[in-house]
Amino acid sequence: MIDLLLQGFAVAFQPSNLAFIFLGVLLGQVIGALPGVGPAAGMALLLPLTFGLEPATAIMMLAGIMYGGQYGGTLTSVLINVPGEASGVMTAVDGHQMARKGRGGAALSVAAIGSFIAGIGAVAAVAFITPALSGFALRFNAPEYFLLAALGIIATASLGATPIRSLMAGVFGLMIALVGTDPLAGTPRLTFGQPALYEGIDFIPVAIGVFGIAEVLASLERAHDMHPIRTRLKDMWLTSAEWAQSRMAIVRGGVIGLFVGIMPGAGASIASLLAYLTERRFSRNPEMFGKGAIDGVAAAEAANNSASHGAMIPMLSLAIPGNASTAVLLAALILHGVRPGPMLMTQEATLVWGLIASMFIGNVMLLIMNLPMAPLFASLLRIPYVYLAPGILVISLVGAYAATLDFGTVWMCIFFGLLGWLMMKFDIPRPPLVLALVLAPLLETSLRQSLLLSFGSPMIFVERPISAVLLVVVAFALILPVWSAVKRRRNRIA
Amino acid sequence: MSLFKLSASLALCATLIGVPSAFAQEEMRAPEGPIEFTVGSGAGGSPDIIMRTIAQIMNEEGIVENPIVIQNRSGGGHSNAYNHVLGLPGNESTLLTLASPVFTTPIVQGTDSVIDQITPIAGFVQSELVLLTTPDSPYNSLQDFVAAAKEQPGRVRIAGGASGGNDHVATGLVEKAADITLTYIPHESGSAARATFLGGNVEGHFATLAEGLEAINAGQAKALAILSAERRTEEGYADVPTATEQGVDVVYTQFWGVGGPPDLDPAVAAWWADKFEQATQTARWQESLEANMQLGEFYGLDEAGEYFAREQETFRTVLTQVGLAAQ
């Protein structure tokens, strides 16, 4: 296997391939930083331009856009609190708070380092244990996905000042997720006969609205106290104390991200949420989470990058894409005359191992690109907010339009901006709304699929081993907070 | 493109213009400027790959000089895409990709037929389906499968791509022909259904021939029947009987085509039908058909409208039978 990997590096190190890997990761970085246009859309857009290239070169470049996008997406999450993709929501929670305190440079640096370490680890897993992991991925199906999604939804309750407020936001997210086309029956529901609502309410206008637009609206009210951040460039680097705090978060986040990423139904957003919540359990200062905890940023970023690499495992070994980006990679393989499937890794060894090697190289390039730039980007916030706000609005609304090419999305984005502003006023946390919206389709679809598989019997959740374990975890997640609240109250009375 | 290819395709064009063909008698007019092929699926879906392939051939072989852009307007069971095109009557720079959801979504949602409104241009590619079961399953033929479903109605499960999708229609046709009840479990996509099938959670799954062969060769599935009129001749499929041979009289193929917006100038429609015919005659298109085990029956301008109307009736009948058609 080492021989194959070395051959892969020989392919990837050819000068033209290196140039295209660089082009790919650079484009990914830029596309990821634009809210609305995600890596998958960017890859689809650039796909026709790769037709003149060798298949291996084309795939290396397109994959570069995919994981480069994960690095780039951090930028808007941290600096302007606009996650361009679902997997960036958890990064924004603490990353933006850090930026407000003048630690934006540190947040961006730890995100780049965390993404790098987790990315390299995940590529190593792709290289050496793909066959074993692809078998594991197939053991996850509807019942397991349902419990994972339930765990995520329950966990969002802990993302605000009080569980009640978080649950209100979460339930509202679940409600708006029901609008659209019934995912199983294919019939419209709660659309009030409006064709514009048939496809449901998308994540992008909601996230851009409740985070980006709402932030700008809120700033209008407190214009007098919006001072630009006054830190010197050299104070923006990651300190050694911050690094010590983030090291293990990166490792844990990376491992969680890899396992969630290889499940074709789960994806990077669940990975980063679970990694963030796990990290809060392990952290020495969990009270900082939500207020600018660097280990939260490190875990979320490590997890979403390793999940996006992990999605390569079912794609390469089973031709099953785990997310939109790997679906475009599969299409690219077919259009270049390569037949994806279980035999791909043996029949197209040069291409597959070249791709794996290119992912090692691409991650190194991204680290080199991002580390020196982090303080520079972060110092954008030294510009007074009055000058930044119009730019943020433009980027947000253009992003919303670009996501669907429909002007209705822009109105929806403005509506959710107003809603987000109201939520800020009433101190209702915004991440649970967005996360519930992302998790709801998985929750609903997998529950109904589970019950179809079992002909209506709920025993399916107990009979399957992995599902049974997850059920216990979900039960604990539900009971523990209630139990500790009861205990606290008793202590107070006594 | 090499100079040779360019001159060869120019020569081909010259021949087509010079020799009076069925099309040459009709008036043809080329649209101006860049062209959008509107696709209702995301990048990577079958219709997307088919349109990207043919657009690439059209541009690179010099058949169509106008730059062609593939625009994915996914969501809503292709309704985002078809509503976009229906909203552009007479527009000469947009074509709609016709895949089964363009037919089935209006039937399921109870809205006006799309096929009756667009300008039909051509149907040009079809794909047959193979019914797979897990490698360790007790069923070795479609008869075994049908017998099991007869014994325990509704207990034999099929993992499928989407409600009203091609494999749902195929399931409905098999149910009707064999007089059985199956449980069809819809997924978010064909590949999500494949994951459920490969994980051994269900008894059956309809796959395209190319996908099915990969799984069979890797020992992940065995074939029960192909829903085609005749047996395939490829290695791996030559000994798989058709459904009809096994007493279940179902022949069903997925198909894809293109149409223009309502009220498209007939001369432009005729030009496009001609260009699609030329593109499907190239060696590259034939190679792509072979690699993907697809069929290349061509329905040009004269036949496309009738062909689409016929398929629409099949969809309506089956969707009514499985209870999905809006009343």
Side-chain angles (χ1 to χ4, degrees), chain A residues 320-387:
Chain A
I320 293 173
N323 54 28
S325 305
T326 41
V328 181
L329 272 188
L330 273 185
L333 284 173
I334 296 171
L335 289 170
H336 278 281
V338 178
R339 187 85 234 159
M343 317 305 271
L344 183 73
M345 292 191 83
T346 41
Q347 281 172 355
E348 297 282 346
T350 322
L351 185 146
V352 172
W353 289 94
L355 171 63
I356 292 172
S358 82
M359 285 162 50
F360 280 110
I361 300 169
N363 271 293
V364 174
M365 287 176 175
L366 282 162
L367 183 71
I368 297 173
M369 232 189 291
N370 277 280
L371 265 192
M373 299 303 274
L376 273 180
F377 281 125
S379 54
L380 275 178
L381 292 186
R382 294 199 290 191
I383 300 170
Y385 200 77
V386 279
Y387 300 118

